[in-house]
């Protein structure tokens, strides 16, 4: 009667292969690591343009697990033939693809790349599709704010969300965080984003009148109050995507992400 509802045991049994798009990046590494430690996947693979990151480009606490247990694939997300070959056989795909630059570039990477990925995933029979979106999606009128900073980024994410929900009406898991903070490795050494994100998160949500003032600011208020740790993002995504798909899929706000983790 309800074909989309499976017992917990049967659902976990079929969720054996996961592919993380952009798994070599900051958020992607954490999602790969959480997929490994969850014990719910026999195969964890990553697809990115650079393939396997160098050892010194991985956060030290994640290095051993990612080096030994992730299968790294180097490829072009815009290559349809590659997508079809690589995506086939996966139970779920999670996209962390995104980038900053010109509006045209951001819309292509945040929008077009994810849209093509979702279409191919649906075509080859992937059952679940996860996406790291933005807290600004659905909160700003993009048609009226074309000069907004990062306009292409938010438009791309919005377009991607629409297509993912269309292709995976029940099977989507979309997270809408603001600034994601935690330990990040750069070519210049470790970058402790938590030293920036955590204090702003605290001030914008837990300091009474000051927090209320920050929250009232257009755009800035949403971004400040939606900051979340990268570990919470990874935990929430893997937790949700390994549950039976709910009717209508799942979209998590920053507050949901904090609760889920």
């Amino acid at each position: 009667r309800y074909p989309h509802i499976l017992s917990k045991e049967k659902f976990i049994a079929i969720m054996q292969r996961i592919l993380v798009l952009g798994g070599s990046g900051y958020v992607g590494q954490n999602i790969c690591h959480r997929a490994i430690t969850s014990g719910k996947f026999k195969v964890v693979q990553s697809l990115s343009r650079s393939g396997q990151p160098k050892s010194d480009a991985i956060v030290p606490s994640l290095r051993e697990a990612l080096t030994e247990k992730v299968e790294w694939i180097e490829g072009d997300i815009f290559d349809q033939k590659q997508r079809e070959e690589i995506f086939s056989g996966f139970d779920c795909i999670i996209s962390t693809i995104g980038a900053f630059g010109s509006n045209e570039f951001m819309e292509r990477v945040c929008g077009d790349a994810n849209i093509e990925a979702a279409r191919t995933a649906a075509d080859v029979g992937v059952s679940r599709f996860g996406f790291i979106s933005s807290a600004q999606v659905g909160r700003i009128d993009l048609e009226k704010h074309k000069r907004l900073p990062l306009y292409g980024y938010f438009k791309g994410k919005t377009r991607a969300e629409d297509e993912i929900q269309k292709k995976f009406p029940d099977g989507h898991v979309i997270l809408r965080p603001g600034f994601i903070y935690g330990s990040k490795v750069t070519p210049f050494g470790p970058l402790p984003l938590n030293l920036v994100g955590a204090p702003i998160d605290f001030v914008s949500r837990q300091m009474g009148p000051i927090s209320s003032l920050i929250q009232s600011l257009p755009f800035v208020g949403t971004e400040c109050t939606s900051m979340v740790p990268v570990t919470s993002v990874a935990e929430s995504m893997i937790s949700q995507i390994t549950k039976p798909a709910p009717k209508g899929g799942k979209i998590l706000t920053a507050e949901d992400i904090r609760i889920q983790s």
Side-chain angles (χ1 to χ4, degrees):
R1 186 178 178 182
Y2 299 102
H4 65 284
I5 299 178
L6 300 174
S7 68
K8 180 178 179 181
E9 292 75 15
K10 288 183 178 179
F11 187 79
I12 292 176
I14 66 171
M15 295 296 287
Q16 296 181 345
R17 301 188 69 210
I18 183 172
L19 175 66
V20 180
L21 306 180
S24 59
Y26 166 52
V27 176
Q29 287 184 17
N30 280 270
I31 289 178
C32 286
H33 185 264
R34 183 61 194 128
I36 292 167
T37 59
S38 72
K40 296 178 181 178
F41 298 98
K42 290 185 178 179
V43 175
V44 178
Q45 294 187 346
S46 163
L47 171 64
S48 64
R49 184 177 294 275
S50 58
Q52 181 171 355
K54 295 180 180 180
S55 179
D56 59 6
I58 302 176
V59 175
S61 61
L62 312 181
R63 190 172 295 156
E64 182 177 356
L66 297 189
T67 302
E68 297 180 358
K69 297 182 179 180
V70 174
E71 298 177 19
W72 303 94
I73 304 171
E74 182 178 344
D76 182 0
I77 194 64
F78 290 104
D79 187 318
Q80 182 176 348
K81 184 177 180 180
Q82 282 191 16
R83 290 199 309 271
E84 291 172 350
E85 292 176 351
I86 294 169
F87 288 12
S88 296
F90 280 98
D91 303 299
C92 64
I93 291 177
I94 297 172
S95 178
T96 68
I97 295 175
F100 298 104
S102 68
N103 281 328
E104 181 180 1
F105 175 76
M106 289 188 288
E107 187 171 351
R108 174 170 165 76
V109 176
C110 299
D112 297 342
N114 288 301
I115 288 169
E116 294 302 318
R119 289 173 178 170
T120 299
D123 288 344
V124 301
V126 173
S127 61
R128 305 296 300 278
F129 196 97
F131 179 54
I132 306 300
S133 186
S134 165
Q136 300 293 347
V137 172
R139 290 177 173 267
I140 50 179
D141 187 339
L142 292 172
E143 292 304 312
K144 293 182 179 179
H145 298 87
K146 293 186 177 181
R147 295 186 178 181
L148 184 75
L150 303 180
Y151 169 81
Y153 182 90
F154 300 127
K155 185 176 181 182
K157 293 282 189 178
T158 300
R159 290 176 53 232
E161 274 202 27
D162 291 343
E163 188 67 16
I164 291 166
Q165 292 181 63
K166 177 182 176 182
K167 292 297 182 181
F168 295 86
D170 296 330
H172 65 265
V173 177
I174 296 173
L175 272 56
R176 291 176 174 173
F179 179 76
I180 300 174
Y181 60 88
S183 297
K184 181 177 182 178
V185 177
T186 73
F188 308 102
L191 182 62
L193 296 177
N194 54 300
L195 296 182
V196 176
I200 295 177
D201 180 29
F202 177 82
V203 172
S204 63
R205 295 192 302 117
Q206 302 183 45
M207 291 196 66
I210 295 176
S211 299
S212 297
L213 177 61
I214 294 172
Q215 292 168 19
S216 69
L217 299 174
F219 182 76
V220 175
T222 297
E223 203 64 30
C224 289
T225 57
S226 299
M227 294 185 174
V228 291
V230 67
T231 51
S232 295
V233 171
E235 171 67 29
S236 296
M237 177 58 78
I238 296 302
S239 173
Q240 288 298 319
I241 212 158
T242 52
K243 293 178 180 179
K247 190 68 176 178
K250 194 76 173 181
I251 297 178
L252 274 64
T253 64
E255 186 59 32
D256 296 327
I257 293 169
R258 297 185 191 104
I259 294 172
Q260 290 292 323
S261 62

